[in-house]
Every structure is written in C-alpha cells, then in structure tokens.
Amino acid sequence: MSRPKPSQPDATVLTGAHYLDGDEACAEGAIAAGCRFFAGYPITPSTEIAERIASRFPLVGGTFIQMEDELASMAAILGGAWGGAKAMTVTSGPGFSLMMENIGLGIMTETPCVVVNVQRGGPSTGLPTLTGQQDMMQARWGSHGDYEVIALSPSSPQECFDLTITAFGLSERYRLPVLFMMDECVGHMTEKVVIPPAEDIPVIERRWYRGPKESYLPYQAGPDKVPDMVRAGDDYRIHITGLTHDERGYPVINAACQSVCVSRLVDKIRDNAGDIVITDEEAVDGADVVVVSYGISYRVATRAIALARAEGIKVGSVRLVTVWPFPEARIAELSRKVKALVMPEINLGQMYRELQRAAAGNCRTLLIPHCGGWVHDPNDVLAAIREGAK
Amino acid sequence: MSELLTTPAPGGPVVEEERHPHEPFLRMDRIPHIWCSTCGLGTVLNCYITAIQRSSVPRADHTIVSGIGCTGRAAGYVKIDSFHTTHGRALPFATGLKLANPRLKVTVFSGDGDLVAIGGNHLIHAARRNMDMTVICVNNFNYAMTGGQFGPTTPEGAKLTTAPYGSYEHPFNIPFLVDSCGATYVARWTSLHVREMIETLVEALNHRGFSFVEVISPCPTVYARRNRLGTGLDLLKYYHDSAEVRHGADTRDVDISFKGRIIVGRFVQRCKPTYLDTMDAALGRSVGKEFVCYEGPMQASDGRS
Ligand SMILES: Cc1ncc(C[n+]2csc(CCOP(=O)(O)OP(=O)(O)O)c2C)c(N)n1
Ligand code: SF4
Ligand SMILES: [Mg+2]
C-alpha cells in the first residue's frame, strides 16, 4: 500500500503507478472524485476501503466517521450530502440490506452520494470472506417503491479507481445514490493501478442552483428532469421529505402528485439512459456467440473466450460496466444477430433475467450459474459458448 | 409583539390585520397543520421557534431534522432548512449534516418512538460522542401517528392498541439514559411549562455538545382517550398538579409512572469536548503537520464556501 510522502505538497491525488487492491483503489478514486465525507460500519470484504479512508482523510481534509450501524451510515451520508459534501459509504450484503430504506430516501429526496457494496456470498451472513454477485437484483429493487437506479460493476482494481470517479460523477449529474457493485475478488485482488494527474481526472461538480433565491423550488427540474440543488445553511429555507412531494418539496399525499413525483424520478434515468449506460464491447460484429458479463466474471469469461476462439468459434464479449440501467436496446439488437448470448454470473440467475427479457426469444440465452464462494471454472463458460455456437 | 399589517379594503375602511409573530418562521402555505386540536405539539413548536429567535445562532444556520411520527411533522412547518427523514434515522442524518457543515446548528425534533425505540441505538451513540446538536424529544408515551400503540416510554399499566390490557414492559427513563451515555445537557419540561421550556431550549441551542430536552406532551386523541385521562386541558391540569421542578435532580430518580409525578427541570449541564473537538485535537496530535482539517462543504455556485 502506498502512502503519500510526508513532504508531498498535495496528498489528494496520488498520481503515479501503484500496486493496490480493489478496495484501496476505490478509496483513492473517491478521494480523487472529491469525496470528503465518509460514514461506514465495518464489514468484510469492504472494510479495507473504510480503513484506507480513515488513514487518508486526515491528510486530504475529509471527515471520516464510523457509525453505529449501516442504517446510520446511510442516513449520515444523505445528511452529509445536504450539508454540501460529496459523501460515500461502503458495505457488503448484510449491511446493504440494512441500508435499503435510506437508499430509498436518497432516491426520493434526490441526494447525490455513492454506496459501495463489495459483494460476498449470501443469503444472510453467508460467506463473509468469499465472493458473490448475488446482490444485483437487490441493487435494482431492494428498497420499496418504484424507482430507477444507476449501478456500476468494476472488474479490476484500476476500474475500482476509475469507475468510483464515474460513480460520483453520475450521482452528482443525476442526483441519486449511485450503487457501486464490487465483489470480493475484485476488492481483494491486487494489481497495477495508474492514478493520472489531478488535472486529467474528470471530476463532476454538484448541480448548484444559480438563479435568484426567491424563485428557488427544490424539485423544479429542467428538460433533463434533474433539479438543481442547494445545501443547508444558505438560507434557502428548503424542506426536504421522503413523503411524496411537489416542486416546493412539500408533502402532497394524493395520486396526482405521486404520478408527477415518481414518474420524474424514473424518467430522469430512463430518458437519459443513452448518456448513462456504459458497455465495453469486443469482437461482437459477426460473432455467433456473445458472452455478456460483468465484474470478476468478465475476467473469467476472457479466458473462456480465448479458448473458444482457439477452437475457431466466433465469439464476442459485451461487458456491463453499468449494470443498471441494463443496456436492453443493445442486447435486443445483438439478439437479432447472434445464435446465443451467454452469461456467467456468480448467482443463480439475476442479470440473466434481464438478458432473457431483452433478447425476447430472438436467440438462445444461456446462463452459467454459480452459487458463490469462488469464480467460475473457465471450462464451464467454454462449454456454454460451444453449446451456443451449435 | 404582533406585527400589524394594514390592508386597504376596497371601498371600505382600512382594516388592520393582526399577524402571529411566528409567521416569518412558519411555512404559512402549509398551515393548517395536521395536528389534533389540544395536542401539545403546537406548543412545543412555538417554544422552539421562540428559542430560535432568542438563541445566539443566526437564522440561516438553524437546521431542523425530524424522523417520522406526529412529532416528526414538525420539520415540515418551520421555515428554515428542514429535513423530514425516515423513522428513527433523524439523528444519524443530522450527524452527517453537522459534520459536513460544522457551522450549522442542527436540531433534531422528533417523538419518543422515533428517538428511543427504532432510533434508540443512534440516540445512545450521538450522546456518547457528544455530537454537537440539540434534540427535542416529544414524549407522548406512545406511537401516536400509527394510532396509539405502546412503546418504550409507555408507563406500566397504560392501555394502548397493542397493549389492550395495559402495558407490562418497563419503560425507559430517557433523561437517565442519555445522561449515562454522555449527553452534556439534559432537561425535561411538560408542554405546560412554556416559559421554562423556552429558556431551556435557548440554553440547549446555545450549548456546545449534545443537548437533550424531553418534553412531556399530551396526545388527547389516542393516548389520553384510551386511558380515560380526559381532554388536552385535563392533561395540562395533571401536569400542573403532578409536575415537580427539581433542577439538578439525579436523573436516576426522574422516572415517570402512570398518573404519577413528573420531575422537571434542568438535570445536567456540563462541559466536555464535542465529537469535532476531540476529532480535530486527536488527529492534529497524531497526524501532526500533515493533518488537514476538514475543509467545509463544497463551494456553492454563489461562491459561498
Ligand atoms: C421503518 C418504519 N416502521 C414503522 C413505521 C410506522 N410509524 C410511523 S410513525 C410511528 C411511531 C411514531 O411514534 P413517535 O416517534 O413517538 O411519534 P408520535 O407520533 O407519537 O409523535 C411508526 C411506528 C414507519 N414509518 N417506518
Ligand atoms: S394523534 Fe396525538 S400526538 Fe398525534 S396530533 Fe393527535 S393528539 Fe397530537
Ligand atoms: Mg410518541
């Protein structure tokens, strides 16, 4: 683990090449993105992020607090965001479950922040130290009510750095808690991470309201359906509630207001999906089979793809960098061109349901399930690719 | 003093309209409020607004955070930055707000169920940390908003919808709880003690550290009716007859029994470093020259830092 040298003038962005694990890289990404408030509760395999933040924040002017539980951590970062800070919390499955209600409060109040889930095997306490990708649907639907989310899934320590910055950017741009869905393998895998110079890091600032104070309405949105924000303490006298509310932020408990309020929360993501969705594609043109994967499963898939190509199978890859919103238009398009879409994931079929839905029977869809605890054997993925190419 | 406004009536004499002095601090476009008539909550809110005006903190720095409940609706009526959060989580939300902008004077205004039941864990930890904030805990001895269920402050014997034969749980003595956890200012009044409550709230707002004010408040609609305690006025009469002012009382002795005496007053007032004091001091000591103190919130667009 590299630490800033004592005499270094700016400890904020540790420009240079490092040997970091995914958890440490995520912490550095948060710092580089401007995160200066962190609240969390320890849980394997995410604890190293909190530890890194606890040791680094005093050097970069951030405030770290270890809360009494994950309910508190999630509530605290929402408060932190309204106080005017970029805020983050990190956890794993059991803590993610505890955060759900307040993730919903963050969605409803349109509060920018980043929630990291370094996934382990579940359900319940499950496999504290071993990997899983079993919270993907919880990320999408875990809090009650209708809403859309943005979730990302890094597949290397370098991406833990880069995409944490992207996650903060998206949270500020679209004003919602962005879910950063790591997994134990990526979190604990150590690789080279290159941190660019500060001026090359794309940091997106808050959408501060710029109009006259008298005419500010907290939930009045422009054409992109995202309202501008103010922070507590600037005498705007805002009211922010988890109840269904109008543009003033005032509770209005009826179906008409619910329709306006909830539709906008959903539409601001759906309408802007083209700007949000990130996929990483390789050799999909002319492919008979496309492997759709994310997180650590992508790393395993690349090995299987290489083996399949050695056998002469035309196989491409689509990696979901953002897992939510699901790139359904792209998958639908591909489903009309290929024989099969193959998905390895460390669960018994979660994102696979989306894959099936988007493919709509146009091609075969093959799931390579795994209960968690370890990654797939590349040969299992290879077998599915062979099957799909038939 | 009331503010006198003159409205010329068309063709008629000039009518003098009297306005409530608290209007500038209320979201008048949200009035009438949802509270029942003779509920104690309006009185507590009035006292809080008076205390804001008398406190040494500038208006823009006052921020109110509520959880969920009848009491939790308070945040929706005060014309300052106000946050209506989730059930039990007002305190950790407030903690984040305070730490992100230490200039703010954050007040948590919530009910006994919100703060002591579902949010009880946050209460003891906020007190332990001596988090610099004020908590106004309105204790009506029940979960009123959901129709009057018993809770952790319900006196033994009181009947509520989920304790139809009378509650048999031992209730919390809240001042003792927060005192023993590290709160540095602890007081209790009833909604009858308006003058005292205001003085106490001003002290609490000016206090550095975790200040906690419990207000015993009538819930005539559900708690009193089910227990045949009469109207809101009857409850005030009960407070009048059974409240005993004992400043500096040992908090171990201030528990409340069903229809029993209510000891009120300022119980605890002590100096102790706050969370931010200890954090900055400890990090300054151990990290040394490299320590960079929290730089405050991000700059807003109008250049405020
Ligand atoms: C997580 C959750 N559980 C339960 C509820 C239902 N609920 C709303 S208010 C309340 C009790 C409020 O009691 P208290 O804080 O004493 O406030 P009061 O209404 O008595 O002023 C409950 C149980 C909820 N909103 N959220
Ligand atoms: S139910 Fe009780 S606490 Fe709630 S507003 Fe009515 S009287 Fe007040
Ligand atoms: Mg109550």
Side-chain angles (χ1 to χ4, degrees):
Chain A
M1 188 167 95
S2 56
R3 293 196 182 276
K5 293 182 193 73
S7 57
Q8 196 165 323
D10 180 8
T12 309
V13 177
L14 303 180
T15 303
H18 305 264
Y19 195 52
L20 298 177
D21 74 16
D23 281 0
E24 293 165 338
C26 170
E28 290 304 329
I31 293 167
C35 174
R36 292 295 179 272
F37 180 67
F38 178 99
Y41 187 82
I43 184 167
T44 306
S46 73
T47 309
E48 290 89 339
I49 305 177
E51 290 169 343
R52 177 91 174 190
I53 295 274
S55 76
R56 288 273 287 131
F57 260 22
L59 309 174
V60 302
T63 290
F64 165 95
I65 184 168
Q66 183 167 296
M67 297 300 289
E68 49 275 16
D69 58 32
E70 290 86 348
L71 300 143
S73 306
M74 188 61 218
I77 66 164
L78 297 180
W82 282 101
K86 287 189 180 174
M88 174 167 93
T89 186
V90 306
T91 189
S92 188
F96 200 49
S97 293
L98 291 186
M99 288 178 182
M100 283 302 147
E101 188 190 9
N102 289 295
I103 288 176
L105 180 65
I107 299 272
M108 192 62 150
T109 55
E110 302 185 64
T111 307
C113 57
V114 172
V115 180
V116 180
N117 177 358
V118 188
Q119 295 170 89
R120 60 196 227 180
S124 192
T125 312
L127 301 170
T129 57
L130 299 179
T131 202
Q133 294 178 318
Q134 297 169 312
D135 309 341
M136 305 307 295
M137 279 294 169
Q138 187 184 22
R140 176 64 188 84
W141 299 109
S143 195
H144 56 281
D146 272 318
Y147 56 93
E148 287 280 340
V149 291
I150 298 178
L152 296 96
S153 174
S155 51
S156 67
Q158 179 68 52
E159 273 201 338
C160 289
F161 178 84
D162 296 337
L163 292 180
T164 300
I165 297 165
T166 308
F168 271 97
L170 288 167
S171 81
E172 296 292 346
R173 171 75 185 77
Y174 293 103
R175 282 192 59 184
L176 80 171
V178 168
L179 310 174
F180 199 63
M181 303 299 288
M182 293 171 55
D183 57 68
E184 186 275 336
C185 278
V186 166
H188 285 164
M189 151 199 292
T190 302
E191 287 183 340
K192 181 177 172 184
V193 174
V194 178
I195 298 183
E199 57 272 22
D200 295 345
I201 294 175
V203 173
I204 292 182
E205 294 308 336
R206 189 148 293 176
R207 301 173 60 113
W208 295 117
Y209 171 74
R210 290 170 203 284
K213 192 170 265 185
E214 318 74 64
S215 44
Y216 179 64
L217 292 172
Y219 293 106
Q220 186 179 49
D224 67 352
K225 303 197 168 153
V226 188
D228 291 338
M229 199 166 169
V230 299
R231 55 182 193 187
D234 285 350
D235 212 21
Y236 282 87
R237 302 173 189 175
I238 48 173
H239 182 58
I240 303 301
T241 176
L243 288 167
T244 295
H245 46 264
D246 61 15
E247 290 187 332
R248 296 171 301 175
Y250 288 4
V252 180
I253 310 303
N254 64 37
C257 188
Q258 169 80 350
S259 170
V260 174
C261 177
V262 177
S263 299
R264 190 176 56 71
L265 293 180
V266 167
D267 290 346
K268 74 175 178 180
I269 305 302
R270 287 191 187 165
D271 293 0
N272 294 303
D275 177 51
I276 298 166
V277 170
I278 308 168
T279 54
D280 174 20
E281 299 190 1
E282 192 240 339
V284 288
D285 289 336
D288 287 328
V289 176
V290 168
V291 180
V292 182
S293 63
Y294 57 93
I296 191 63
S297 299
Y298 164 76
R299 303 290 289 268
V300 176
T302 53
R303 172 73 186 145
I305 288 168
L307 293 172
R309 282 183 188 152
E311 293 178 11
I313 302 174
K314 283 195 264 175
V315 52
S317 162
V318 172
R319 181 165 69 94
L320 309 179
V321 177
T322 50
V323 279
W324 300 113
F326 187 76
E328 47 188 276
R330 180 60 180 146
I331 296 296
E333 190 185 352
L334 285 175
S335 71
R336 287 187 286 268
K337 295 182 180 161
V338 300
K339 289 185 185 168
L341 294 168
V342 170
M343 180 177 267
E345 54 178 346
I346 309 175
N347 58 54
L348 301 183
Q350 295 195 10
M351 298 309 295
Y352 176 67
R353 286 170 173 257
E354 288 296 292
L355 190 77
Q356 273 183 313
R357 195 175 59 80
N362 295 324
C363 68
R364 291 179 75 193
T365 50
L366 300 171
L367 168 70
I368 310 141
H370 194 304
C371 273
W374 195 223
V375 295
H376 290 84
D377 182 334
N379 287 312
D380 294 341
V381 184
L382 177 62
I385 294 172
R386 282 187 194 132
E387 171 66 24
K390 274 185 192 160
Chain B
M1 276 305 291
S2 304
E3 194 184 330
L4 287 176
L5 296 178
T6 48
T7 327
V14 172
V15 177
E16 285 198 337
E17 193 185 320
E18 237 183 322
R19 290 262 172 100
H20 193 281
H22 284 174
E23 271 194 24
F25 280 83
L26 287 168
R27 298 187 188 276
M28 291 307 290
D29 45 358
R30 292 215 58 222
I31 303 293
H33 54 68
I34 64 157
W35 295 322
C36 310
S37 66
T38 74
C39 172
L41 280 163
T43 308
V44 189
L45 189 70
N46 262 316
C47 292
Y48 169 59
I49 288 175
T50 309
I52 287 181
Q53 292 168 281
R54 294 200 196 155
S55 77
S56 55
V57 180
R59 174 172 180 167
D61 290 352
H62 279 286
T63 309
I64 179 172
V65 183
S66 290
I68 302 293
C70 292
T71 313
R73 290 302 185 105
Y77 300 123
V78 195
K79 209 166 169 183
I80 55 176
D81 288 330
S82 52
F83 297 91
H84 182 221
T85 62
T86 46
H87 195 25
R89 315 304 156 205
L91 279 165
F93 186 100
T95 297
L97 205 48
K98 176 69 187 176
L99 295 183
N101 187 353
R103 199 196 74 210
L104 298 178
K105 172 76 232 181
V106 182
T107 300
V108 170
F109 193 127
S110 224
D112 52 315
D114 193 78
L115 290 167
V116 187
I118 193 167
N121 196 28
H122 312 311
L123 179 64
I124 63 178
H125 288 280
R128 172 181 65 80
R129 295 185 182 110
N130 196 23
M131 195 54 75
D132 191 9
M133 57 174 64
T134 298
V135 179
I136 300 171
C137 174
V138 178
N139 184 359
N140 51 20
F141 305 121
N142 80 125
Y143 299 139
M145 173 144 271
T146 40
Q149 294 77 37
F150 81 97
T153 60
T154 304
E156 263 178 82
K159 288 186 179 146
L160 285 148
T161 61
T162 48
Y165 307 107
S167 170
Y168 38 80
E169 290 195 10
H170 305 300
F172 269 127
N173 167 355
I174 314 177
F176 178 43
L177 176 71
V178 292
D179 177 14
S180 57
C181 290
T184 45
Y185 185 100
V186 183
R188 175 199 281 156
W189 294 105
T190 77
S191 65
L192 180 73
H193 297 85
V194 169
R195 218 171 289 251
E196 295 89 336
M197 199 198 320
I198 292 169
E199 278 166 26
T200 290
L201 287 176
V202 173
E203 266 184 14
L205 290 171
N206 291 339
H207 178 79
R208 253 179 86 78
F210 190 79
S211 55
F212 186 93
V213 182
E214 179 185 11
V215 182
I216 309 297
S217 167
C219 166
T221 305
V222 285
Y223 181 77
R225 188 159 57 182
R226 198 159 277 272
N227 287 289
R228 302 181 189 286
L229 297 174
T231 62
L233 201 61
D234 293 324
L235 286 165
L236 292 182
K237 173 110 182 31
Y238 157 59
Y239 297 162
H240 177 266
D241 296 343
S242 55
E244 187 184 319
V245 182
R246 227 196 278 170
H247 293 298
D250 187 327
T251 55
R252 283 174 297 189
D253 303 331
V254 304
D255 49 322
I256 301 171
S257 60
F258 190 50
K259 298 188 192 173
R261 64 164 192 189
I262 303 172
I263 296 173
V264 293
R266 189 217 295 128
F267 304 140
V268 176
Q269 188 173 27
R270 58 172 90 94
C271 269
K272 203 168 81 175
T274 68
Y275 180 84
L276 283 169
D277 293 340
T278 53
M279 181 180 89
D280 287 343
L283 290 175
R285 257 194 325 271
S286 22
V287 180
K289 279 207 304 288
E290 289 166 63
F291 174 53
V292 183
C293 197
Y294 176 64
E295 54 205 8
M298 291 181 279
Q299 267 212 338
S301 50
D302 57 1
R304 289 160 204 255
S305 58

